[in-house]
Amino acid sequence: MRFSFPRIIFTIVKPYLIPSLTFVLILFLGCQKEYDEHREPEPGPPIENPIEFPTKTVVAGFDGRITGENDQSLVGVKISAGNKSTVTDNYGIFHLTDVVVNEQFAGVKAEKAGYFTGFRTLVAQKGKTAFVTIKLTKREYAGLASTTSPVAIQGATVVFKSPGFITEDSTSYTGQVKVFGFYHDPEAVDFLQAMPGDLRAIRTNSDIVALKSYGMLNVELEGEGGEKILLAKDNKATLTIPVPPTLQATAPSTIPLWYFDDGKRTWIEEGSATRSGNNFVGEVSHFTPWNCDMVREFVYVSLRLLRTGKSEEPLPYRGVRFFNEDGVSMVHFTNKDGELRGWVPKDVPLSYQVTDDCGEVLFTKEIGTLSDDYDLGDVFVEIPEMESLLISGSIVDCEGDTITQGFAYINMLGLDYTLTVVDGTFETRISTCREFPGTIEAFGFDNTSQRFTGRIQVPVTGSRADVKLISCGKTDSQYIKLIFRGEDFRFDFPPDSLSYNRTEITTELNAWADDLSKRFIIKLRDTVVHRSRIGMGIFVLGDSLFSAYDMNINVTKYGRIGEYIEADFNGGVTGAHPDPEYPLSGSLKILRQY
């Protein structure tokens, strides 16, 4: 599938470039069965062996927004994914970088007191940052656990087989048990934002499938002291989950049951429910969110959103809804680069819509029927002036001369936007359903001088913000230091030259001396701080070329854009055979430009 875009390269160059060499770090890094949702489901095969869960991991990033029951931004929500955690800011926004996650089921977890824990799951792409939204649901008290009287939860009910309960350490519990619950209506407009996961699941035979929900129920039990309570081994609970009126015509007589696995970040098949009138009734032995779903096949679709007339300006953080006439619907969001990849139902006629921050439709187009993964390519969308903030500006150097090549960086309501500077100017429109902020943050970068402007707060007047940036002053020292065969070598920028190249998953630094006496290239494949990687590379000294094998590269700092990348490295290099191996070590400090 095609899903690559031009790399962005920042370069200070001389007219006499040496042919490019390469420094490479080596980083070691299902199937769906046809199912007709309108016929009676076949039960999954018996569990003879444990489910085989995908284990491949990748390094990726996540941006996102967390909202509450009234779509308000939630501050201080604990966010965790893989090996990283953070909290949301005043706008409900979070950022996680360099996260080691499961490739197939990368999950973001959101926790806040008074709310049920939220989850969002997606397929991670190595080196890329995905944007997710999670709407947390209030943790409402429903009643006390009973073996005789059902506890009502927004039209659903739960009743317990016996009074057998335990605490998390398996100690028997005999006090009162409080029931908290929330019913997720699959026909609700916010269902896809509020429900856990992404409606992909694993069957009992380990097949990865997509789901169509007929009703979802989240239940938690709590003791008198606020402790978490579980069902004892001999206890079970009967769930009665209503089927929405619009789905009753296609609801089968029996349906598979699925629970959301917190650790695996996906739905797992376990048991089945039977239709009784316009409800599904099933028995469960533990409590996580439970889901009544039919199975369907799926494929992956990808695209890149761009603003009409601005071929280099992506449209980040936009919702894209994929749907058909039968009500099949799935929403995915573009990341900060305007890119999107997500699943859609297979072999059904599909269309898609692009929406703004308010949910208003900006663009609609038919796709047709997809039988394989498909890339829609670049999609151009016009941003209306209404309910959008016009941000325009200029960037000049110390003498007031126009910057011909560079970038402007905007932060608005906690989200980052990168704009290309053309002939000293830049401009974009950002739509938002929220009230315009009083100020936005802006700074810029001059590609030629390798200087950043200062970060400034720009007032918003009406529906526009005018930004004026000056790239001036002396930058802090940037360098690459080497020790080779006991001799010190050093590159300083300037006067030496540096090519900075940021691709999807690497940062390449290509340095050569002002007098062309030496050259060194290093490629940082992993931006995880204090993680040593084994790599290989090349050092040019005069007319001699030395290849570096078994080189350890340790990134000690990887700052934000406009801050520094710092690393140290060591290893052995060899020249032409039969030269011996020579030790090479060093360190670097370079401004991060992208």
Side-chain angles (χ1 to χ4, degrees):
M1 177 191 301
R2 182 188 68 79
F3 197 67
S4 61
F5 307 110
R7 300 184 300 178
I8 295 177
I9 301 177
F10 302 84
T11 312
I12 298 178
V13 297
K14 308 289 184 181
Y16 38 84
L17 297 181
I18 303 173
S20 177
L21 302 169
T22 304
F23 184 103
V24 181
L25 281 180
I26 300 175
L27 178 64
F28 291 102
L29 304 159
C31 55
Q32 305 90 31
K33 292 192 174 181
E34 182 177 356
Y35 203 101
D36 182 350
E37 63 184 55
H38 298 296
R39 74 164 186 250
E40 296 297 308
E42 299 173 6
I47 303 177
E48 298 176 354
N49 298 299
I51 289 176
E52 295 180 7
F53 187 74
T55 58
K56 182 180 178 181
T57 59
V58 294
V59 177
F62 301 94
D63 295 330
R65 176 186 287 128
I66 309 299
T67 58
E69 66 281 8
N70 296 317
D71 295 320
Q72 75 276 23
S73 298
L74 292 182
V75 182
V77 180
K78 181 184 177 182
I79 303 296
S80 56
N83 58 332
K84 296 288 186 71
S85 63
T86 187
V87 295
T88 56
D89 64 15
N90 290 336
Y91 306 108
I93 299 297
F94 69 88
H95 306 280
L96 286 173
T97 60
D98 304 311
V99 188
V100 179
V101 290
N102 185 283
E103 181 183 43
Q104 275 291 323
F105 295 101
V108 176
K109 183 177 183 179
E111 301 171 273
K112 186 175 178 65
Y115 291 87
F116 284 106
T117 300
F119 297 91
R120 186 64 63 239
T121 308
L122 67 158
V123 177
Q125 295 177 275
K126 63 180 180 180
K128 290 186 177 294
T129 297
F131 182 77
V132 301
T133 63
I134 301 175
K135 184 174 185 176
L136 297 185
T137 55
K138 292 289 287 185
R139 191 171 180 267
E140 300 283 2
Y141 173 70
L144 295 175
S146 171
T147 58
T148 57
S149 301
V151 178
I153 304 172
Q154 301 155 331
T157 64
V158 55
V159 63
F160 299 87
K161 180 179 178 180
S162 74
F165 299 97
I166 57 174
T167 59
E168 286 190 283
D169 63 1
S170 299
T171 301
S172 178
Y173 177 82
T174 57
Q176 288 187 329
V177 177
K178 300 176 184 178
V179 179
F180 296 80
F182 187 88
Y183 166 69
H184 290 273
D185 181 351
E187 295 296 277
V189 293
D190 60 355
F191 172 71
L192 294 172
Q193 280 66 55
M195 59 120 201
D198 70 344
L199 287 180
R200 285 180 303 135
I202 299 181
R203 300 212 72 181
T204 54
N205 63 356
S206 302
D207 281 354
I208 299 175
V209 295
L211 303 177
K212 178 178 179 178
S213 179
Y214 282 78
M216 187 182 297
L217 185 62
N218 194 359
V219 175
E220 290 183 358
L221 307 180
E222 184 179 289
E224 295 174 354
E227 66 271 45
K228 184 176 181 179
I229 299 299
L230 310 175
L231 295 179
K233 187 175 181 180
D234 60 348
N235 194 7
K236 292 185 184 297
T238 299
L239 305 182
T240 300
I241 301 176
V243 180
T246 53
L247 297 177
Q248 290 170 5
T250 59
S253 59
T254 59
I255 195 168
L257 273 175
W258 313 76
Y259 71 90
F260 190 81
D261 190 304
D262 183 330
K264 293 182 170 59
R265 301 293 201 263
T266 193
W267 296 94
I268 306 293
E269 183 181 12
E270 184 178 297
S272 62
T274 302
R275 182 170 178 174
S276 176
N278 290 320
N279 299 291
F280 280 116
V281 180
E283 194 174 69
V284 301
S285 59
H286 56 90
F287 280 119
T288 63
W290 283 92
N291 201 359
C292 300
D293 298 78
M294 301 295 287
V295 177
R296 57 191 181 195
E297 291 186 285
F298 67 94
V299 295
Y300 291 108
V301 65
S302 56
L303 57 81
R304 184 174 70 152
L305 285 188
L306 300 170
R307 182 181 168 196
T308 298
K310 300 282 185 178
S311 60
E312 294 302 321
E313 184 183 327
L315 285 179
Y317 321 124
R318 303 285 174 171
V320 181
R321 175 175 172 260
F322 298 88
F323 64 97
N324 74 352
E325 295 178 352
D326 296 330
V328 174
S329 182
M330 196 65 208
V331 176
H332 303 290
F333 286 83
T334 59
N335 64 10
K336 63 184 177 64
D337 298 316
E339 301 168 1
L340 172 154
R341 184 172 187 263
W343 74 265
V344 296
K346 181 180 180 180
D347 294 331
V348 297
L350 288 173
S351 298
Y352 68 101
Q353 294 176 335
V354 179
T355 60
D356 63 12
D357 193 52
C358 307
E360 296 295 323
V361 176
L362 302 176
F363 178 90
T364 302
K365 188 174 182 179
E366 285 189 12
I367 300 175
T369 300
L370 299 181
S371 298
D372 297 292
D373 295 351
Y374 189 72
D375 182 8
L376 294 167
D378 290 344
V379 177
F380 289 87
V381 178
E382 183 176 355
I383 302 299
E385 293 187 14
M386 293 182 63
E387 296 182 342
S388 67
L389 178 65
L390 174 64
I391 299 174
S392 61
S394 61
I395 178 170
V396 297
D397 62 18
C398 296
E399 289 72 39
D401 294 330
T402 296
I403 300 300
T404 57
Q405 290 184 329
F407 291 86
Y409 302 93
I410 306 296
N411 183 281
M412 174 175 155
L413 298 173
L415 293 175
D416 297 320
Y417 301 82
T418 301
L419 311 179
T420 303
V421 174
V422 179
D423 295 329
T425 64
F426 54 89
E427 179 251 313
T428 189
R429 282 191 175 275
I430 301 176
S431 66
T432 177
C433 208
R434 294 161 175 77
E435 184 177 348
F436 290 151
T439 61
I440 61 172
E441 184 183 63
F443 67 101
F445 178 75
D446 178 1
N447 189 30
T448 302
S449 69
Q450 297 281 286
R451 289 193 180 103
F452 281 91
T453 71
R455 294 175 183 264
I456 63 173
Q457 297 296 316
V458 181
V460 174
T461 304
S463 60
R464 65 178 297 138
D466 296 312
V467 184
K468 297 186 182 302
L469 300 171
I470 301 176
S471 175
C472 197
K474 183 178 179 180
T475 61
D476 291 340
S477 175
Q478 299 182 74
Y479 60 81
I480 296 179
K481 300 176 183 178
L482 300 175
I483 301 176
F484 176 59
R485 295 190 299 199
E487 185 177 355
D488 292 334
F489 297 88
R490 182 179 176 114
F491 300 85
D492 289 287
F493 314 106
D496 298 324
S497 298
L498 171 70
S499 170
Y500 177 104
N501 179 13
R502 173 69 175 157
T503 66
E504 293 176 356
I505 58 174
T506 62
T507 299
E508 181 180 308
L509 305 173
N510 188 340
W512 56 95
D514 186 57
D515 60 4
L516 297 181
S517 62
K518 58 185 180 291
R519 185 175 184 183
F520 182 65
I521 304 169
I522 186 169
K523 183 175 288 186
L524 309 178
R525 181 66 181 270
D526 195 340
T527 60
V528 177
V529 175
H530 298 305
R531 174 181 291 179
S532 183
R533 291 298 191 193
I534 303 298
M536 54 183 292
I538 295 173
F539 176 49
V540 178
L541 183 61
D543 294 329
S544 301
L545 182 150
F546 299 90
S547 300
Y549 296 95
D550 299 324
M551 177 169 284
N552 298 285
I553 300 180
N554 180 39
V555 178
T556 56
K557 180 179 180 180
Y558 199 88
R560 298 169 59 193
I561 295 172
E563 297 177 343
Y564 284 93
I565 301 170
E566 297 180 24
D568 52 63
F569 47 89
N570 63 83
V573 298
T574 57
H577 184 77
D579 284 358
E581 182 177 270
Y582 302 104
L584 183 147
S585 61
S587 61
L588 61 87
K589 180 180 179 182
I590 301 296
L591 274 171
R592 181 182 172 189
Q593 300 169 5
Y594 185 74

